[in-house]
PDB file of all heavy atoms in Angstrom:
ATOM      1  N   ASP A 273       3.736  25.603 -17.821  1.00 98.00           N
ATOM      2  CA  ASP A 273       3.320  24.205 -17.791  1.00 98.00           C
ATOM      3  C   ASP A 273       1.820  24.172 -17.509  1.00 98.00           C
ATOM      4  O   ASP A 273       1.204  25.206 -17.229  1.00 98.00           O
ATOM      5  CB  ASP A 273       4.124  23.373 -16.783  1.00 98.00           C
ATOM      6  CG  ASP A 273       3.985  23.858 -15.349  1.00 98.00           C
ATOM      7  OD1 ASP A 273       2.850  24.112 -14.898  1.00 98.00           O
ATOM      8  OD2 ASP A 273       5.019  23.974 -14.650  1.00 98.00           O
ATOM      9  N   TYR A 274       1.212  22.992 -17.582  1.00 98.00           N
ATOM     10  CA  TYR A 274      -0.242  22.912 -17.479  1.00 98.00           C
ATOM     11  C   TYR A 274      -0.743  23.138 -16.055  1.00 98.00           C
ATOM     12  O   TYR A 274      -1.889  23.557 -15.865  1.00 98.00           O
ATOM     13  CB  TYR A 274      -0.731  21.567 -18.032  1.00 98.00           C
ATOM     14  CG  TYR A 274      -0.536  21.470 -19.524  1.00 98.00           C
ATOM     15  CD1 TYR A 274       0.569  20.817 -20.059  1.00 98.00           C
ATOM     16  CD2 TYR A 274      -1.436  22.066 -20.407  1.00 98.00           C
ATOM     17  CE1 TYR A 274       0.774  20.746 -21.428  1.00 98.00           C
ATOM     18  CE2 TYR A 274      -1.245  22.005 -21.777  1.00 98.00           C
ATOM     19  CZ  TYR A 274      -0.132  21.343 -22.289  1.00 98.00           C
ATOM     20  OH  TYR A 274       0.072  21.285 -23.647  1.00 98.00           O
ATOM     21  N   PHE A 275       0.091  22.890 -15.057  1.00 98.00           N
ATOM     22  CA  PHE A 275      -0.277  23.226 -13.676  1.00 98.00           C
ATOM     23  C   PHE A 275      -0.374  24.745 -13.535  1.00 98.00           C
ATOM     24  O   PHE A 275      -1.378  25.268 -13.025  1.00 98.00           O
ATOM     25  CB  PHE A 275       0.763  22.659 -12.708  1.00 98.00           C
ATOM     26  CG  PHE A 275       0.477  22.955 -11.261  1.00 98.00           C
ATOM     27  CD1 PHE A 275      -0.187  22.035 -10.470  1.00 98.00           C
ATOM     28  CD2 PHE A 275       0.890  24.153 -10.688  1.00 98.00           C
ATOM     29  CE1 PHE A 275      -0.456  22.314  -9.131  1.00 98.00           C
ATOM     30  CE2 PHE A 275       0.623  24.438  -9.356  1.00 98.00           C
ATOM     31  CZ  PHE A 275      -0.047  23.512  -8.576  1.00 98.00           C
ATOM     32  N   GLU A 276       0.650  25.442 -13.982  1.00 98.00           N
ATOM     33  CA  GLU A 276       0.620  26.907 -13.930  1.00 98.00           C
ATOM     34  C   GLU A 276      -0.526  27.444 -14.775  1.00 98.00           C
ATOM     35  O   GLU A 276      -1.179  28.443 -14.411  1.00 98.00           O
ATOM     36  CB  GLU A 276       1.952  27.461 -14.425  1.00 98.00           C
ATOM     37  CG  GLU A 276       1.991  28.973 -14.628  1.00 98.00           C
ATOM     38  CD  GLU A 276       1.773  29.765 -13.358  1.00 98.00           C
ATOM     39  OE1 GLU A 276       1.927  29.202 -12.246  1.00 98.00           O
ATOM     40  OE2 GLU A 276       1.442  30.972 -13.468  1.00 98.00           O
ATOM     41  N   ASN A 277      -0.807  26.793 -15.875  1.00 98.00           N
ATOM     42  CA  ASN A 277      -1.904  27.227 -16.734  1.00 98.00           C
ATOM     43  C   ASN A 277      -3.244  27.143 -16.009  1.00 98.00           C
ATOM     44  O   ASN A 277      -4.094  28.029 -16.133  1.00 98.00           O
ATOM     45  CB  ASN A 277      -1.943  26.380 -18.006  1.00 98.00           C
ATOM     46  CG  ASN A 277      -2.759  27.036 -19.097  1.00 98.00           C
ATOM     47  OD1 ASN A 277      -2.320  27.992 -19.717  1.00 98.00           O
ATOM     48  ND2 ASN A 277      -3.964  26.529 -19.335  1.00 98.00           N
ATOM     49  N   SER A 278      -3.432  26.070 -15.234  1.00 98.00           N
ATOM     50  CA  SER A 278      -4.675  25.927 -14.469  1.00 98.00           C
ATOM     51  C   SER A 278      -4.764  26.986 -13.375  1.00 98.00           C
ATOM     52  O   SER A 278      -5.852  27.461 -13.049  1.00 98.00           O
ATOM     53  CB  SER A 278      -4.765  24.527 -13.867  1.00 98.00           C
ATOM     54  OG  SER A 278      -4.934  23.552 -14.877  1.00 98.00           O
ATOM     55  N   ARG A 279      -3.625  27.340 -12.789  1.00 98.00           N
ATOM     56  CA  ARG A 279      -3.622  28.408 -11.794  1.00 98.00           C
ATOM     57  C   ARG A 279      -4.074  29.720 -12.435  1.00 98.00           C
ATOM     58  O   ARG A 279      -4.914  30.449 -11.877  1.00 98.00           O
ATOM     59  CB  ARG A 279      -2.228  28.575 -11.190  1.00 98.00           C
ATOM     60  CG  ARG A 279      -2.164  29.564 -10.022  1.00 98.00           C
ATOM     61  CD  ARG A 279      -0.740  29.807  -9.576  1.00 98.00           C
ATOM     62  NE  ARG A 279      -0.003  30.638 -10.542  1.00 98.00           N
ATOM     63  CZ  ARG A 279      -0.041  31.971 -10.550  1.00 98.00           C
ATOM     64  NH1 ARG A 279      -0.788  32.630  -9.675  1.00 98.00           N
ATOM     65  NH2 ARG A 279       0.650  32.640 -11.448  1.00 98.00           N
ATOM     66  N   ARG A 280      -3.535  30.023 -13.613  1.00 98.00           N
ATOM     67  CA  ARG A 280      -3.907  31.264 -14.279  1.00 98.00           C
ATOM     68  C   ARG A 280      -5.380  31.245 -14.697  1.00 98.00           C
ATOM     69  O   ARG A 280      -6.064  32.274 -14.626  1.00 98.00           O
ATOM     70  CB  ARG A 280      -3.005  31.492 -15.486  1.00 98.00           C
ATOM     71  CG  ARG A 280      -1.545  31.720 -15.119  1.00 98.00           C
ATOM     72  CD  ARG A 280      -0.675  31.917 -16.354  1.00 98.00           C
ATOM     73  NE  ARG A 280       0.741  31.916 -16.020  1.00 98.00           N
ATOM     74  CZ  ARG A 280       1.727  32.075 -16.887  1.00 98.00           C
ATOM     75  NH1 ARG A 280       1.428  32.242 -18.189  1.00 98.00           N
ATOM     76  NH2 ARG A 280       2.990  32.060 -16.497  1.00 98.00           N
ATOM     77  N   ALA A 281      -5.865  30.105 -15.140  1.00 98.00           N
ATOM     78  CA  ALA A 281      -7.277  29.994 -15.512  1.00 98.00           C
ATOM     79  C   ALA A 281      -8.180  30.255 -14.314  1.00 98.00           C
ATOM     80  O   ALA A 281      -9.252  30.865 -14.440  1.00 98.00           O
ATOM     81  CB  ALA A 281      -7.558  28.607 -16.093  1.00 98.00           C
ATOM     82  N   THR A 282      -7.751  29.815 -13.134  1.00 98.00           N
ATOM     83  CA  THR A 282      -8.510  30.069 -11.912  1.00 98.00           C
ATOM     84  C   THR A 282      -8.535  31.558 -11.601  1.00 98.00           C
ATOM     85  O   THR A 282      -9.580  32.124 -11.232  1.00 98.00           O
ATOM     86  CB  THR A 282      -7.895  29.291 -10.738  1.00 98.00           C
ATOM     87  OG1 THR A 282      -7.842  27.899 -11.068  1.00 98.00           O
ATOM     88  CG2 THR A 282      -8.712  29.473  -9.479  1.00 98.00           C
ATOM     89  N   LEU A 283      -7.395  32.230 -11.752  1.00 98.00           N
ATOM     90  CA  LEU A 283      -7.335  33.671 -11.506  1.00 98.00           C
ATOM     91  C   LEU A 283      -8.184  34.444 -12.512  1.00 98.00           C
ATOM     92  O   LEU A 283      -8.809  35.454 -12.169  1.00 98.00           O
ATOM     93  CB  LEU A 283      -5.879  34.144 -11.582  1.00 98.00           C
ATOM     94  CG  LEU A 283      -4.939  33.583 -10.513  1.00 98.00           C
ATOM     95  CD1 LEU A 283      -3.510  34.079 -10.749  1.00 98.00           C
ATOM     96  CD2 LEU A 283      -5.406  33.955  -9.110  1.00 98.00           C
ATOM     97  N   VAL A 284      -8.228  33.974 -13.747  1.00 98.00           N
ATOM     98  CA  VAL A 284      -9.081  34.603 -14.746  1.00 98.00           C
ATOM     99  C   VAL A 284     -10.545  34.501 -14.332  1.00 98.00           C
ATOM    100  O   VAL A 284     -11.318  35.463 -14.458  1.00 98.00           O
ATOM    101  CB  VAL A 284      -8.859  33.956 -16.131  1.00 98.00           C
ATOM    102  CG1 VAL A 284      -9.978  34.334 -17.115  1.00 98.00           C
ATOM    103  CG2 VAL A 284      -7.515  34.378 -16.704  1.00 98.00           C
ATOM    104  N   GLN A 285     -10.942  33.358 -13.824  1.00 98.00           N
ATOM    105  CA  GLN A 285     -12.328  33.198 -13.368  1.00 98.00           C
ATOM    106  C   GLN A 285     -12.646  34.163 -12.231  1.00 98.00           C
ATOM    107  O   GLN A 285     -13.718  34.783 -12.202  1.00 98.00           O
ATOM    108  CB  GLN A 285     -12.559  31.760 -12.927  1.00 98.00           C
ATOM    109  CG  GLN A 285     -12.567  30.762 -14.069  1.00 98.00           C
ATOM    110  CD  GLN A 285     -13.806  29.896 -14.073  1.00 98.00           C
ATOM    111  OE1 GLN A 285     -14.505  29.763 -13.068  1.00 98.00           O
ATOM    112  NE2 GLN A 285     -14.104  29.294 -15.200  1.00 98.00           N
TER     113      GLN A 285
END
Side-chain angles (χ1 to χ4, degrees):
D273 61 47
Y274 292 98
F275 180 95
E276 171 63 18
N277 198 75
S278 292
R279 187 187 73 85
R280 295 179 189 181
T282 304
L283 295 177
V284 165
Q285 290 233 341

